């Protein structure tokens, strides 16, 4: 009797073969399985239009699908390698052209936001993203690929063109930097109340 791992590998293989044959349902399945993580990765790394860039990534993925050989893990690495290259292209293009930012009504400095809006903007994902954004670029790439894209150390090394040992060292340094940054904000244990003394 085949275990779940074998069943999952067989399911991926059948979807891949169907997608390589041009079956739209299979391409949709690959998109649904991978596009959210790609968009999150691109957004976390500073893409101005992560949804548009995700679409460009998958146009390339589907264009090169016929030559792909490998399992589900290799496919994920293949997708994120393309996503990383497209992101680097976007960042280079922006650095050459300079930054242009559309002024949105919500971001107009003459408009006062409510305390509720300001509090909401400081919570959750924005705080985590800000912590990662403050890391040096090579550490940030590793952390975003490991956490957001959920890639293994080996896959991150392949995407970034680095040795696995270098990826592990960058991850260790990034975690240490984040640990130091978070330590001062932690609340010390509260002293016992009068009723507990």
């Amino acid at each position: 009797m085949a275990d779940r791992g074998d069943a999952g590998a067989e399911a991926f293989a059948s979807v891949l073969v169907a997608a390589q044959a041009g079956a739209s349902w299979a391409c949709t399945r690959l998109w649904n399985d991978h596009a959210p993580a790609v968009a999150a990765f691109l957004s976390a790394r500073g893409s101005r239009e992560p949804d548009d860039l995700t679409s460009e990534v998958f146009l390339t993925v589907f264009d090169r699908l016929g030559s792909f050989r490998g399992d589900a893990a290799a496919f994920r690495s293949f997708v994120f390698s393309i996503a990383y290259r497209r992101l680097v292209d976007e960042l280079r293009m922006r650095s050459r052209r300079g930054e242009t930012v559309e002024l949105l009504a919500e971001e107009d400095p003459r408009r006062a936001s409510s305390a509720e809006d300001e509090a909401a903007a400081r919570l959750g994902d924005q705080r985590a993203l800000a912590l990662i954004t403050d890391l040096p670029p090579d550490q940030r790439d590793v952390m975003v690929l490991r956490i957001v894209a959920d890639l293994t150390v080996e896959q991150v090394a392949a995407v970034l063109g680095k040795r696995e040992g270098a990826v592990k060292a960058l991850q260790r340094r990034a975690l240490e930097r984040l640990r130091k940054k978070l330590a001062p904000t932690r609340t010390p244990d509260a002293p016992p109340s009068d009723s507990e003394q």
Side-chain angles (χ1 to χ4, degrees):
M1 181 177 215
D3 66 6
R4 287 185 186 174
D6 290 342
E10 289 175 17
F12 173 78
S14 65
V15 169
L16 178 63
V17 168
Q20 288 173 326
S24 62
W25 69 267
C27 292
T28 301
R29 173 89 179 266
L30 292 175
W31 166 270
N32 289 336
D33 289 349
H34 297 89
V38 169
F41 163 70
L42 295 171
S43 179
R45 279 295 285 117
S47 174
R48 293 284 187 248
E49 298 292 336
D51 293 334
D52 291 347
L53 198 54
T54 299
S55 295
E56 289 180 32
V57 167
F58 277 89
L59 286 173
T60 304
V61 166
F62 294 138
D63 188 49
R64 297 181 185 170
L65 203 54
S67 62
F68 174 77
R69 303 287 177 263
D71 60 5
F75 183 75
R76 190 169 179 83
S77 185
F78 168 70
V79 169
F80 278 94
S81 292
I82 293 170
Y84 181 75
R85 287 188 205 109
R86 290 291 179 264
L87 177 67
V88 168
D89 290 345
E90 178 189 319
L91 296 175
R92 277 190 196 131
M93 188 179 341
R94 281 197 340 233
S95 71
R96 277 186 249 142
R97 287 185 186 168
E99 291 291 323
T100 57
V101 179
E102 180 182 344
L103 180 61
L104 303 173
E106 306 87 56
E107 298 169 354
D108 188 342
R110 299 168 294 184
R111 179 182 168 265
S113 60
S114 69
E116 181 182 357
D117 290 343
E118 289 182 22
R122 293 183 185 142
L123 299 175
D125 292 342
Q126 295 302 322
R127 183 153 189 263
L129 185 56
L131 287 170
I132 291 175
T133 301
D134 288 342
L135 293 171
D138 53 350
Q139 292 176 16
R140 184 174 54 229
D141 288 341
V142 168
M143 294 305 290
V144 171
L145 287 169
R146 291 282 289 140
I147 296 168
V148 178
D150 195 28
L151 296 181
T152 64
V153 169
E154 296 80 18
Q155 291 169 325
V156 172
V159 168
L160 298 177
K162 296 183 182 294
R163 293 184 337 266
E164 290 176 26
V167 169
K168 289 177 184 177
L170 288 167
Q171 179 177 310
R172 188 172 43 254
R173 281 187 230 127
L175 289 172
E176 184 59 34
R177 186 180 286 248
L178 291 172
R179 195 173 294 117
K180 287 177 183 174
K181 199 173 226 182
L182 290 174
T185 64
R186 291 195 177 147
T187 307
D189 292 336
S193 67
D194 293 340
S195 62
E196 293 174 346
Q197 293 179 353

